[in-house]
Amino acid sequence: MIAVLAFLLSGSFGESFISPVHVLKAIFGYGDDYTQLVINDFRLPRIIVAAFAGIALAVAGAVLQGMIKNPLASPDIIGISAGGGAAVVGFLAIFSDLNHSLTVSIQWMPLAGFIGATIVGLFVYLLAWKDGVTPSRLVLIGLGVSIFLQSLTTLLMIVGPIHLAAEAQKWIIGSVRTAEWHEVQIMVPVIIILLSILTFLVRHLNVQDFGDETATGLGQPVQKFRFTLIVLCSSLVASAIAFTGAIGFVGLIAPHIARRLVGSAFGLLIPTSAAIGAFLVMVADIIGRTAFNPLEVPAGVFTAAIGAPYFIYLLLKKPKN
C-alpha cells in the first residue's frame, strides 16, 4: 500500500500539482490532453524507473544480508555500486575529446555501468575465495574493493576533462530525472526476470542460517549456491544503477525495515523489502523535485541523507546477548 501511495503522489507532484484521481485517469487514457501529456510522457517513466530501481536494490540487499549473515551487507558496501560508478566515469574519460564532447553515443553509458557492476561483483567473489567463500571474507574484501574503486573514480574525475566531474557526479549520486520510456522497456523486463529467478532460489537460503556444514549435510551445494546468488544480485543491482546511477543505501535500509515488520523468513522478507525499496526511491524523487523548486536535487542525495546516519547507528548498535 505504501508503494502504491508513493506511486500516486509521485505522479501528482511536480512543477504543477495534479490530483491523484486525475493521475489514475491519465494512466488509463482518460482526462484532458495536457494531463495525459504530463503524466504519461514526463512523469510516468521516471516513476517506473524509480520504483524498479528501489525494488532491485532492496531485494539485492536483502539477499546479500541473508547470504553473508551481516546486517551491514549491501550493494554499496561490497563494491557492486562502486564498480558501476567507476565504469561510467571511465567511459566518460575514455570517450571524451578535447572539445568536451563524447565521441560515442551517451546511450552506451548504462551498458558501461551494467558491465562494471557485474564484473566487480564477480571479482569480489573470486578474491574472497579460499577453499570456499566465507561471509566475513566476502564483506571485508568487498569493502576494500569498494574503497579502492571510489578512490579510482575520484582520480579519474580530477585528471579528466573539466566537464567530466559534473556529469559523473550526477551519475554517482543517483537520479531518475532523465528517465524515458525506452529505458523502462529495457530495465523492467530484465529486473522482472532476475527477480523471478531470485525468488525461486532464496527459499533455500534459510537453510544456511544453521551453518555451512548443516546446509551441506542437507544436500545444498553451498559454494555454488553463493556464487549463483552473487551473480544474480550483481546483475540485479547493475540493471538498476545502469539507468539511475548509484542510488545509495536503499539496499541497506529497506531489508532492515522489512525484517522488523515481517521477520527473517525470505518468503515475506523479499516482497516487503521490494515494496519498501520502491517507496524509498519514489519518495526521495518526490522530495528532490519539489523541496527546492525550481532547483531539482537528485534522489540519491536524500537516500544517502537517511542511509548514512542509519549505517552509523548499525555500527554503534550493541549486539543482543
Side-chain angles (χ1 to χ4, degrees):
M1 286 299 294
I2 59 171
V4 174
L5 177 62
F7 186 93
L8 292 176
L9 291 177
S10 190
S12 296
F13 287 99
E15 292 185 6
S16 59
F17 178 80
I18 299 173
S19 74
V21 174
H22 289 124
V23 171
L24 277 175
K25 287 183 177 180
I27 292 173
F28 289 102
Y30 299 98
D32 60 85
D33 292 341
Y34 171 77
T35 302
Q36 289 194 52
L37 176 67
V38 171
I39 297 300
N40 294 325
D41 289 2
F42 298 112
R43 295 185 186 175
L44 197 55
R46 73 184 292 167
I47 296 170
I48 295 174
V49 168
F52 273 85
I55 290 170
L57 294 171
V59 170
V63 173
L64 288 171
Q65 288 174 13
M67 182 182 71
I68 298 174
K69 303 183 189 69
N70 190 317
L72 302 180
S74 74
D76 316 291
I77 304 304
I78 69 168
I80 299 174
S81 298
V88 165
V89 175
F91 171 85
L92 293 171
I94 292 170
F95 295 107
S96 292
D97 59 22
L98 296 176
N99 296 320
H100 295 171
S101 59
L102 288 174
T103 57
V104 297
S105 173
I106 199 169
Q107 292 184 355
W108 290 103
M109 191 170 74
L111 179 61
F114 180 92
I115 293 173
T118 305
I119 289 177
V120 168
L122 297 176
F123 181 67
V124 168
Y125 184 89
L126 292 175
L127 282 181
W129 182 274
K130 187 178 181 182
D131 298 324
V133 173
T134 61
S136 58
R137 282 179 59 83
L138 192 63
V139 73
L140 288 173
I141 289 176
L143 185 59
V145 170
S146 180
I147 293 171
F148 171 77
L149 289 173
Q150 289 171 13
S151 301
L152 177 62
T153 300
T154 303
L155 177 63
L156 288 172
M157 291 169 63
I158 292 172
V159 302
I162 296 175
H163 78 285
L164 172 64
E167 186 66 34
Q169 194 63 32
K170 294 177 187 176
W171 198 93
I172 291 170
I173 294 173
S175 174
V176 295
R177 180 178 182 178
T178 59
E180 298 179 359
W181 277 114
H182 74 271
E183 295 177 346
V184 173
Q185 292 168 355
I186 298 171
M187 176 187 187
V188 171
V190 172
I191 289 178
I192 288 176
I193 292 170
L194 291 171
L195 284 174
S196 300
I197 299 172
L198 265 178
T199 301
F200 175 76
L201 290 177
V202 294
R203 59 182 180 174
H204 303 293
L205 192 56
N206 288 320
V207 176
Q208 293 191 14
D209 288 340
F210 299 102
D212 291 358
E213 292 183 0
T214 302
T216 302
L218 292 172
Q220 187 180 99
V222 174
Q223 298 304 329
K224 290 182 180 179
F225 188 61
R226 283 180 182 158
F227 177 75
T228 303
L229 290 181
I230 283 288
V231 171
L232 289 171
C233 286
S234 298
S235 300
L236 193 59
V237 172
S239 301
I241 67 176
F243 298 102
T244 65
I247 297 178
F249 291 102
V250 176
L252 176 70
I253 303 172
H256 276 278
I257 298 174
R259 204 171 286 110
R260 288 178 177 272
L261 293 175
V262 299
S264 299
F266 282 93
L268 289 175
L269 181 63
I270 294 297
T272 306
S273 296
I276 293 171
F279 174 81
L280 288 173
V281 179
M282 285 190 289
V283 169
D285 183 48
I286 294 172
I287 297 172
R289 55 190 160 98
T290 58
F292 302 95
N293 193 39
L295 180 66
E296 186 166 323
V297 181
V301 171
F302 297 99
T303 59
I306 299 170
Y310 193 79
F311 180 67
I312 295 171
Y313 161 74
L314 290 175
L315 286 171
L316 297 178
K317 185 181 178 182
K318 294 181 180 179
K320 294 181 179 179
N321 295 325

